[in-house]
């Protein structure tokens, strides 16, 4: 399960993210470093599926105009 | 969920399309539907303009501070909260508005998708059944269609795919996917910063890429750099097998994107070619 999720994130990083950037015409759209997907990959492999997904979801939700980071 | 999309995205878009179609046919403009599609795309792009503009500007500024950020990453390696603090400080100094985040970008996706969905339905119109179906969605009586609209555009049926037209129109139809690919390539090329800027950045970035390369596989980074070529080819291939009406939408979308990119960031990676001429 953990491996599948990480594989999916890698697929997203390699293909989907690049395609999205091309469609929307943005080069760099992250306020966080490392990017959310990279962060998700790391936390999931380090802290397990449940904690990793929880932390990454919170992080994605924080990436919006109404919350200062 | 489907209802939500219909009420808030698809139906308003259908009504804008109907309104534009009526305006254009009232003005006796030929190929009203084709121009209505172009108009609709431009309307949507203008609605999205504030979002994309701020995003483009932020992205341009962010690219400039990449060297600073990699230095910080090196300096405070392992101390993530410190890195985050220092990053924020630099953003503030450079006047980058971190308040935007990625939400404005993600908001655009459903709209782009919805436009695709509506057009894909609309260009295939043939029978009165289709007409009564769309009339049910019209907000006002004057937006309703009285007869099946003409789906041709300069002699080509908007609902036909270039792949099917090869036999009747001949190889000239290949211009549609080729042009679609070319426009996409121009936009992708413009997105890459001009060489002079890159040269300054490169020295500083070298360190950073060393760190990054450990994470990303060779194939991934290859795809990243090659996407400038791969993506236009992909889009060209799509447009070969999709109805022409959708290529019309996509090209309007891309050309608007090119103009927008030029207004905000200049020619970018294209400037080296333009100067040579």
């Amino acid at each position: 399960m953990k491996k599948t999720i990480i594989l999916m994130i890698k697929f997203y990083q390699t293909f989907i993210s690049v395609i999205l950037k091309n469609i929307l015409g943005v080069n760099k759209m992250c306020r966080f470093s490392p990017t959310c997907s990279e962060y998700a990959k790391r936390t999931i492999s380090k802290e397990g599926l449940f904690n990793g997904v929880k932390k990454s979801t919170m992080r994605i939700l924080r990436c919006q105009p109404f919350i200062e980071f | 969920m489907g209802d939500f999309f219909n009420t808030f995205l698809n139906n308003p878009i259908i009504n804008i399309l109907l309104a534009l179609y009526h305006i254009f046919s009232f003005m006796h403009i030929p190929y009203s539907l084709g121009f209505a599609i172009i108009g609709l795309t431009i309307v949507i792009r203008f609605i999205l303009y504030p979002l994309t503009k701020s995003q483009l500007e932020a992205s341009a500024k962010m690219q400039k501070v990449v060297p600073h950020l990699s230095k910080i990453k090196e300096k405070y390696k392992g101390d993530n909260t410190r890195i985050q603090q220092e990053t924020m400080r630099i953003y503030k100094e450079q006047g980058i508005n971190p308040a935007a985040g990625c939400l404005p970008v993600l908001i655009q996706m459903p709209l782009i998708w919805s436009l695709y969905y509506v057009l894909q339905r609309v260009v295939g119109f043939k029978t009165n059944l289709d007409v009564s179906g769309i009339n049910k969605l019209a907000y006002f009586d004057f937006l309703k269609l009285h007869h099946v609209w003409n789906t041709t555009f300069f002699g080509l049926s908007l609902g036909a795919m270039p792949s099917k037209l090869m036999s009747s129109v001949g190889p000239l139809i290949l211009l549609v996917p080729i042009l679609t690919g070319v426009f996409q390539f121009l936009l992708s090329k413009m997105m890459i910063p001009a060489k002079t800027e890159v040269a300054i950045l490169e020295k500083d970035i070298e360190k950073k890429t060393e760190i990054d390369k450990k994470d990303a596989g060779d194939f991934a980074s290859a795809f990243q750099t090659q996407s400038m070529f791969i993506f236009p080819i992909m889009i060209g291939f799509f447009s070969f097998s999709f109805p022409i009406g959708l290529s019309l939408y996509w090209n309007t979308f891309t050309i608007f994107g090119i103009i927008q990119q030029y207004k905000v960031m200049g020619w970018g990676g294209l400037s080296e070619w333009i100067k040579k001429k």
Side-chain angles (χ1 to χ4, degrees):
Chain A
M1 186 64 185
K2 209 162 118 177
K3 271 184 184 164
T4 332
I5 299 278
I6 286 176
L7 213 71
M8 274 161 69
I9 294 175
K10 273 188 183 159
F11 179 79
Y12 162 82
Q13 288 181 322
T14 321
F15 296 104
I16 317 245
S17 162
V18 173
I19 287 168
L20 277 183
K21 278 179 193 164
N22 270 289
I23 289 180
L24 297 168
V26 258
N27 263 332
K28 188 163 176 15
M29 50 190 197
C30 278
R31 57 154 69 176
F32 293 120
S33 172
T35 59
C36 285
S37 55
E38 192 58 43
Y39 177 81
K41 218 167 73 184
R42 285 182 202 173
T43 42
I44 288 172
S45 58
K46 220 190 264 173
E47 301 183 23
L49 196 60
F50 183 76
N51 259 333
V53 170
K54 198 177 84 182
K55 278 191 171 176
S56 315
T57 313
M58 287 310 289
R59 199 172 194 251
I60 292 171
L61 290 179
R62 278 212 320 274
C63 186
Q64 45 136 310
F66 306 108
I67 294 179
E68 271 194 35
F69 80 125
Chain B
M1 203 61 182
D3 277 347
F4 177 84
F5 273 109
N6 280 332
T7 327
F8 291 103
L9 284 170
N10 298 339
N11 293 355
I13 285 179
I14 286 175
N15 278 278
I16 298 174
L17 183 71
L18 285 173
L20 288 169
Y21 173 75
H22 282 293
I23 292 169
F24 289 145
S25 27
F26 179 74
M27 292 180 350
H28 294 288
I29 292 174
Y31 315 123
S32 302
L33 181 63
F35 284 110
I37 290 177
I38 294 178
L40 176 67
T41 314
I42 293 175
V43 167
I44 297 290
R45 271 296 219 177
F46 266 111
I47 293 174
L48 294 175
Y49 187 69
L51 292 181
T52 37
K53 190 173 174 257
S54 65
Q55 202 66 43
L56 281 179
E57 283 169 349
S59 139
K61 281 181 189 163
M62 275 183 178
Q63 245 163 18
K64 278 187 190 150
V65 298
V66 164
H68 294 280
L69 294 186
S70 47
K71 266 182 212 157
I72 287 173
K73 260 187 216 165
E74 198 100 312
K75 204 171 166 187
Y76 303 108
K77 220 173 185 181
D79 188 357
N80 277 331
T81 43
R82 187 69 197 265
I83 289 176
Q84 196 73 46
Q85 278 170 357
E86 291 293 311
T87 308
M88 213 175 111
R89 192 179 57 81
I90 282 190
Y91 282 174
K92 266 190 184 154
E93 268 173 20
Q94 299 292 319
I96 296 168
N97 178 17
C102 55
L103 200 72
V105 178
L106 295 178
I107 284 174
Q108 297 177 39
M109 293 315 291
L111 256 175
I112 295 171
W113 176 258
S114 171
L115 210 58
Y116 159 78
Y117 172 81
V118 166
L119 291 179
Q120 192 211 29
R121 265 180 70 192
V122 153
V123 290
F125 262 29
K126 281 190 186 77
T127 60
N128 284 321
L129 203 73
D130 295 326
V131 172
S132 61
I134 206 171
N135 279 346
K136 266 184 216 151
L137 301 174
Y139 291 156
F140 307 104
D141 274 346
F142 60 82
L143 286 179
K144 286 182 175 160
L145 295 174
H146 307 297
H147 50 83
V148 183
W149 48 23
N150 183 0
T151 58
T152 58
F153 190 65
F154 294 102
L156 295 170
S157 166
L158 287 171
M161 305 107 182
S163 52
K164 297 255 167 70
L165 288 173
M166 276 293 271
S167 51
S168 55
V169 185
L172 212 63
I173 196 68
L174 284 177
L175 273 178
V176 175
I178 289 172
L179 277 179
T180 312
V182 166
F183 282 130
Q184 191 65 53
F185 174 73
L186 291 179
L187 180 59
S188 304
K189 180 86 181 153
M190 281 174 79
M191 274 166 52
I192 294 166
K195 266 227 170 105
T196 44
E197 292 167 45
V198 176
I200 303 164
L201 287 178
E202 228 145 55
K203 274 184 199 164
D204 292 313
I205 289 178
E206 258 172 290
K207 277 183 202 161
K208 185 189 176 262
T209 40
E210 269 170 38
I211 304 163
D212 280 355
K213 263 182 190 159
K214 276 177 210 157
D215 296 324
D218 278 343
F219 177 73
S221 57
F223 187 80
Q224 188 97 25
T225 45
Q226 295 301 310
S227 74
M228 191 174 82
F229 303 101
I230 296 171
F231 188 65
I233 292 171
M234 250 170 64
I235 286 288
F237 190 76
F238 282 149
S239 106
F240 183 64
S241 44
F242 278 32
I244 287 178
L246 289 175
S247 298
L248 197 60
Y249 149 55
W250 196 251
N251 280 319
T252 315
F253 189 86
T254 315
I255 290 168
F256 194 102
I258 289 175
I259 297 170
Q260 186 174 265
Q261 185 84 15
Y262 172 69
K263 287 218 140 188
V264 181
M265 312 201 358
W267 288 116
L270 266 186
S271 54
E272 42 189 302
W273 293 356
I274 289 164
K275 272 174 199 160
K276 272 179 196 165
K277 276 170 198 167

